[in-house]
Amino acid sequence: MSPLPVVMLLKLALGAFCCAVLLYNMPVNCLMVSAQGGALLFSSPLPHGAAFVTTYIHSVQLTPVVNEYRILQGGIWGWEERVRSQGAGLPFSAPEHGKFVMSPPWMVVQGGRRMEKRIAYRIGDDAFGRNTWQLPPLNPVEIYKHFPSKRVFIEASIKKFKDVPVKGFY
């Protein structure tokens, strides 16, 4: 074997090793959901700007509410909220730095530059809420069937890829 292929193989091996070390230590957005007592229910590294969608049936209006969040910069950004009725805690106008769009059958609130690190979230049950969660392109999970009437905390942060525990939905 001539020295040229050996040198190329060594360079390729060194490059692969460096990529593995870089990936292992790369900072990523992390989405975690924990129960009120602190038990970890879900955790995953996510690409910058990944969507997280919650859907529930409003307890007073009995209409669906869809909230789309984006996970970026280690935070949970309110991206878009879609409702089919107004009243009792539902949006009725555009937030500052946002817009309100009529798109029948939906009323859509977009933007607002609202970012949270942690959201307290109440999961309903078969009668109230019927909450679903989704990380597109995966299918929605009927979370109310797994954790009915529970209060959970949805958190975002930036961690090294190696430090993000991976625990999925059912």
Side-chain angles (χ1 to χ4, degrees), residues 2-41:
S2 69
L4 186 59
V6 172
V7 171
M8 288 177 55
L9 285 175
L10 286 174
K11 285 182 179 180
L12 182 63
L14 180 62
F17 174 76
C18 289
C19 286
V21 169
L22 176 66
L23 176 66
Y24 194 64
N25 289 294
M26 184 172 64
V28 295
N29 286 288
C30 172
L31 181 66
M32 298 174 65
V33 179
S34 56
Q36 192 164 0
L40 186 64
L41 306 176

Side-chain angles (χ1 to χ4, degrees), residues 59-124:
S59 62
V60 175
Q61 300 295 319
L62 302 178
T63 57
V65 177
V66 179
N67 286 297
E68 182 176 328
Y69 303 96
R70 295 296 173 121
I71 311 304
L72 60 144
Q73 300 172 338
I76 304 168
W77 292 77
W79 208 255
E80 181 174 279
E81 183 172 19
R82 296 185 295 277
V83 297
R84 290 195 178 169
S85 63
Q86 293 179 323
L90 295 172
F92 59 88
S93 67
E96 185 176 358
H97 308 292
K99 59 185 176 178
F100 190 91
V101 179
M102 297 298 292
S103 180
W106 296 100
M107 292 175 271
V108 182
V109 176
Q110 295 176 330
R113 297 183 191 167
R114 191 185 81 226
M115 190 273 289
E116 303 290 338
K117 289 285 191 182
R118 183 179 195 199
I119 296 173
Y121 187 91
R122 173 69 67 183
I123 299 172

